[in-house]
Amino acid sequence: MMLEYLPLAVVAIVGVPLALAALTRRGDRALTRLALALFDGWVADRGRRQRERRELLYEVHLEDTYRMYASKTLLYAGLVALAGSVVGVYLAAGVLALFKISPETVRATLPQQLWFLADLLVFPDLSLGELFTLLAFSSATLGVAGGAITYWIRWENLSYRANARARQIDESIARTVAFFYALSRSGMAFPEIMRSLARNRSVYGETAEEVAVAVKSMDYAGLDMLSAIERLADRTPSQKFREFTDNLASVLQSGQSIPAYLDDQYERYREDAEAEQEAFLELLATLAEAYVSVFVVAPLLFITILVIMGLMAIGRTLPLLRVIAYFAVPLANVGFIIYLDSITESLRATREAREIDAAPGLLAGVRRTDDPDADRTGTERPAVEGSAVRSDGGERPAADSSAGLAFERLAAFERVRWLRDLLSNPARTLRENPVYVLYATVPLGVLSVVLRAWPHLVAGTLTVETLDDFVVQAALVVVGSFAVVQELHRRRIDAIEAAVPDFLDRLASVNEAGMSIVESLERVADTELGALDAEVERLRTDMAWGVEARTALYRLEDRIDAPVITRVTTLLGNAMHASSDLARVLRIAADEAQDTRRLKRKRRQEMVTYVVIIYLAFVVFLVIIGSLNSILIPSLPTGAAAPDTGGAISGGPLAGISEVDVEAYTLLFFHTALVQALFSGLVAGQMGETSVKNGAKHAAVMLAIAYAVFLLLP
């Protein structure tokens, strides 16, 4: 009997290298060597299609060469074809075994209305040759289809990734040109501007990734700047960025004014950004309508039809309803949220994974980082054990022991600083980091469910309905508390972002008057800045204690996790390298912050309508579910209450109503409403405010409505 499953075991063993290649670099290298050994001679080097595919590899920044990727594609296709051939044999055999039943058995199993299928579902007896032909056809069909689809997906995936990168580059090009323009106005050399942008890839997105490739070509391959830019233009997936780099190369080669060219491009891309925002809002509007139709209305109609079919005893639909409620609806909503997150990714900016350990006073100006790519390097930790020999043969002077001791104290302090901040001002910590609320409330919620359910479990009175009450109440507390703190955090960030353009304009005006950036910051700190007052005061305090202005700005960024602040501090921090005349840079940063806020506000206003539509669709969902549960099911005759009508009911479509599990349907409706409430709220937040976190308040409201409705239902 075990030999029957030997081919399946072989297929499983063959799949192990594929899994290792996806999980480990060593496994990927081993699989690549195997693919080259087997299929390197099959890979064509020349041809239009090969040239296009090679360009796609460049555009997605894949590490594999064309021959490596093509060989692995052939290997993957061959392995999938082999697995499909084996599975095809088992599939055909399984179908034959499944339908090798008598017509009498089929009629005994199916309702009378479906007896006509009895003769159709029974396979005739097959000869050995016919059986072999059927199995071979099934094996070949599934194998060839699996291999062909795998081959197509591998190459088509490159096109998809290239198109995705092109879209992200187009969305971030305006910010990148502003960065180029601001630093060129400050007097920084253009190669250094490119290196600065490459060090801030997480802030400026895929456009910075493209520039990073040109920087590597200059630093590691020895190309000159002009050649690196021309090569970049040939290998970028974005047509818009290709035109920009082509024109930039021409300007650099002709010796024209780079700031003047970048100024024109900056204004052009600002206008393009507004047009793209309009197109993006139209896309979101379409997605909102599609969500209501596909993810709310369609499941509701399907559930209604299946419920009626189950009540009419046409078939056992309760298992299928459970699959829809517990698997199909959640997975579909999760996929939709992931897609929304992918198309709104360019609207966010993230900070580099770097720490700014600048101590006031004694350690002024000292900056350390664990990230080799970060643009926040500075004095290293001094040695404390006398002098040492440098790698070049010279002697390193002995470090000041007081400075070394100060570093040790600083390191010890930083290890417990998070706990000190949390205990000294927990409200501020939670307001600045709402996720911390979940760290506290989720364990408490689980503990409350366990403590409340334990007495019922011991007494043997614990039911699913009782456990549901405990879980839903705990979930309402967890989601509701997080929603409150997240909303306070969002409003604080919005208020700060609203004050940023005015702050930068004032800073630019003072800097234009001839003051240094430090003096300008101190002067502006005395003015009324709204929500930025406290943060700018802390900024001035840092500089008063001796912290460098650039480092103080980075500390401001670390305290305010907002995209606008991240871009402003990154731009100013790099501009300070080149010049103290930052007025024009500040104006550019103010314009960018103002544009970002205007587009964000417009998006929120446009999406309010669709958030309301999601609420209305959810209310309709609850009304229909509640009607099914409280009106339709109780109104149907049961075995105990049905009148004696002879054989009319016993032989008709209502014959199985007395066997309907009303409690099971009620429980299923309740769980379906909760699932729909949770995901509808999260989608509303993702659409309207670019974050699933901001959907917590909608989810809490919908969960409370759904729970209250089912509590009030008879």
Side-chain angles (χ1 to χ4, degrees), residues 507 511 515-522 549 576 580 582 586:
L507 201 59
N511 187 249
M515 291 187 177
S516 67
I517 188 64
V518 175
E519 294 172 335
S520 301
L521 286 170
E522 291 177 350
M576 287 178 185
S580 60
L582 301 177
L586 291 168

Side-chain angles (χ1 to χ4, degrees), residues 518-579:
V518 175
E519 294 172 335
S520 301
L521 286 170
E522 291 177 350
R523 177 65 63 87
V524 173
D526 293 328
T527 62
E528 179 65 34
L529 297 171
L532 269 178
D533 278 340
E535 294 299 335
V536 174
E537 184 61 34
R538 293 173 70 177
L539 180 68
R540 181 169 65 174
T541 301
D542 280 345
M543 293 187 297
W545 279 86
V547 176
E548 185 186 15
R550 183 164 171 262
T551 304
L553 285 172
Y554 289 150
R555 288 163 61 85
L556 173 69
E557 173 196 341
D558 291 337
R559 291 193 299 268
I560 306 175
D561 187 12
V564 171
I565 297 296
T566 297
R567 291 166 187 149
V568 167
T569 55
T570 300
L571 184 62
L572 293 181
N574 284 278
M576 287 178 185
H577 270 308
S579 173

Side-chain angles (χ1 to χ4, degrees), residues 14 29 174 209 219 282 316 318 362 398 462 541 581 622 633 641:
V14 170
R29 287 198 297 265
E209 290 284 353
D219 293 343
E282 292 178 2
R316 297 182 66 242
L318 194 58
L362 179 63
L462 183 64
T541 301
D581 183 12
L622 280 182
I633 295 179

Side-chain angles (χ1 to χ4, degrees), residues 1-9 90 97:
M1 293 294 293
M2 297 300 295
L3 293 177
E4 297 178 2
Y5 301 101
L6 182 60
L8 286 179
Y90 283 91

Side-chain angles (χ1 to χ4, degrees), residues 46-62:
R46 299 182 180 180
R48 182 179 58 84
R49 177 173 296 181
Q50 286 72 22
R51 184 174 63 255
E52 292 175 353
R53 289 174 174 176
R54 189 176 285 107
E55 291 175 356
L56 285 175
L57 290 173
Y58 294 142
E59 291 174 359
V60 300
H61 294 179
L62 205 64

